[in-house]
């Protein structure tokens, strides 16, 4: 338990500055001497209260932003470097929400890499291949196109919750890609050539992929349209998932087949470099 203790001299002594000269202090040798013998007394304007952090005097500056302007936008425009040059003896540091977001952003890449690693392990186990999961995961960064455009159309700044939504979006995007690639592998095992397998996979999995996207977006629409203060904190995450998924759906149907073709080319190149011959499909 922390208890604040303030030591003051008597009220009569505080009324007269000259009374300070009559105070006696005890030295380390246990002798009493007048205060004026060991200290210089002068009058200055002081502060109402003094706060310290890690034994350093601090001044906390807070402000409220106008409606429609996020604190991140204002904080990004503050000239910290110019202030540091103008006042070299003062250290400027973000605190409160900005400090928490900076710490969260610093740990976010670790969480994102851990999520990608787990996704890769699951896909490698499911596909029985070390190469196809990489092809599926290459499409994940392209989903950020929809995330940026979604925030632009909604007039919302990209925040930490937007990045959390993007990390969650990776699992949904992989889910759609999984549906496509799994059917493609089945057709390849059935004996279809590369082009026919891709065409059949696109035609057969078009409806499930679109239904997954539509149901997810419709489920998040009430949250995106909510105007209450409690929901506004979650709107960036809903925008990231919804618009990112819509753009990723188009990219899956167009980009993923192209990536699979490129992957087969690399596979054929590897076989040629290893065996010295190229395998031809019937």
């Amino acid at each position: 338990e922390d208890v604040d203790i303030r030591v003051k001299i008597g009220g009569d002594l505080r009324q007269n500055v000259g009374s300070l000269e009559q105070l006696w202090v005890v030295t380390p040798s246990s002798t009493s001497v007048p205060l004026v013998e060991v200290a210089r007394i002068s009058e200055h304007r002081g502060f109402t209260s003094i706060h310290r952090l890690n034994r350093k005097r601090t001044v906390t500056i807070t402000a409220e932003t106008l409606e429609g302007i996020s604190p991140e936008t204002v904080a990004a425009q503050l000239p910290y470097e110019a202030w540091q040059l103008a006042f070299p003896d003062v250290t400027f540091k973000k605190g409160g929400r900005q400090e928490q977001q900076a710490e969260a952003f610093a740990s976010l890449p670790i969480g994102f890499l851990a999520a990608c690693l787990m996704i890769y392990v699951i896909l490698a186990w499911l596909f029985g291949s070390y190469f196809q999961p990489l092809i599926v995961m290459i499409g994940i960064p392209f989903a950020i196109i929809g995330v940026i455009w979604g925030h632009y159309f909604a007039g919302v700044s990209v925040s930490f919750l937007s990045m959390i939504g993007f990390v969650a979006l990776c699992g949904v995007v992989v889910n759609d890609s999984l549906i496509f690639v799994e059917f493609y592998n089945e057709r390849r095992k059935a004996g279809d050539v590369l082009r026919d397998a891709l065409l059949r996979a696109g035609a057969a999995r078009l409806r499930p992929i679109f239904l997954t996207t539509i149901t997810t977006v419709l489920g998040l629409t009430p949250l995106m349209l909510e105007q209450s203060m409690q929901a506004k904190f979650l709107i960036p995450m809903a925008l990231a998932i919804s618009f990112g998924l819509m753009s990723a759906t188009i990219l899956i149907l167009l980009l993923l087949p192209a990536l699979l073709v490129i992957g087969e080319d690399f596979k054929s190149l590897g076989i040629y470099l290893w065996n010295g011959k190229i395998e031809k499909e019937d």
Side-chain angles (χ1 to χ4, degrees):
E1 182 179 359
D2 295 333
V3 179
D4 294 333
I5 299 177
R6 179 177 295 180
V7 180
K8 295 182 178 180
I9 60 177
D12 296 337
L13 296 177
R14 293 202 306 269
Q15 299 297 327
N16 185 8
V17 180
S19 60
L20 293 175
E21 300 177 357
Q22 302 176 8
L23 292 179
W24 291 72
V25 295
V26 180
T27 64
S29 60
S30 300
T31 58
S32 298
V33 295
L35 179 62
V36 293
E37 297 292 335
V38 294
R40 181 184 301 171
I41 301 175
S42 59
E43 296 184 15
H44 296 280
R45 183 182 297 273
F47 298 97
T48 304
S49 60
I50 297 176
H51 300 277
R52 295 183 182 274
L53 179 64
N54 296 330
R55 303 179 67 180
K56 295 181 179 180
R57 183 176 294 186
T58 61
V59 176
T60 303
I61 302 176
T62 60
E64 295 182 359
T65 59
L66 298 176
E67 185 177 357
I69 301 177
S70 65
E72 290 76 17
T73 304
V74 178
Q77 297 177 357
L78 296 178
Y80 290 103
E81 295 182 358
W83 290 345
Q84 194 66 58
L85 293 176
F87 306 97
D89 297 334
V90 180
T91 301
F92 297 90
K93 181 181 179 183
K94 296 180 181 179
R97 175 177 173 179
Q98 299 301 318
E99 182 180 14
Q100 294 174 0
Q101 287 197 354
E103 294 176 353
F105 272 113
S107 61
L108 184 61
I110 300 176
F112 178 71
L113 292 177
C116 290
L117 179 60
M118 294 302 298
I119 291 174
Y120 176 82
V121 171
I122 293 174
L123 292 179
W125 168 74
L126 183 63
F127 294 153
S129 170
Y130 295 107
F131 187 65
Q132 275 192 342
L134 296 177
I135 296 177
V136 172
M137 296 178 67
I138 286 176
I140 292 178
F142 291 93
I144 202 170
I145 298 174
V147 175
I148 296 174
W149 279 107
H151 284 73
Y152 174 76
F153 288 135
V156 178
S157 301
V158 177
S159 62
F160 175 71
L161 287 177
S162 303
M163 296 295 100
I164 292 294
F166 175 71
V167 175
L169 175 65
C170 296
V172 184
V173 172
V174 169
N175 184 35
D176 289 343
S177 302
L178 173 64
I179 296 174
F180 186 98
V181 176
E182 183 66 18
F183 188 86
Y184 162 78
N185 288 337
E186 292 179 358
R187 298 313 309 168
R188 292 286 286 172
K189 292 178 181 179
D192 290 353
V193 296
L194 177 62
R195 184 175 182 276
D196 292 341
L198 290 174
L199 291 176
R200 291 187 179 184
R205 293 302 178 231
L206 178 64
R207 182 181 299 176
I209 291 175
F210 268 109
L211 287 178
T212 302
T213 300
I214 293 173
T215 53
T216 304
V217 173
L218 289 179
L220 293 173
T221 298
L223 177 59
M224 291 187 292
L225 299 179
E226 183 62 42
Q227 297 298 322
S228 62
M229 290 299 299
Q230 292 83 358
K232 286 186 176 181
F233 293 101
L234 299 176
I235 287 178
M237 183 170 62
L239 288 172
I241 296 176
S242 299
F243 284 87
L245 183 58
M246 286 189 289
S247 65
T249 300
I250 305 299
L251 290 173
I252 287 171
L253 297 174
L254 298 178
L255 179 65
L256 186 58
L259 292 176
L260 289 173
V261 173
I262 295 173
E264 289 293 334
D265 292 339
F266 276 104
K267 181 180 178 181
S268 300
L269 178 61
I271 294 175
Y272 173 75
L273 294 176
W274 184 262
N275 298 327
K277 60 180 180 178
I278 299 177
E279 292 186 354
K280 295 183 179 180
E281 294 184 354
D282 298 332

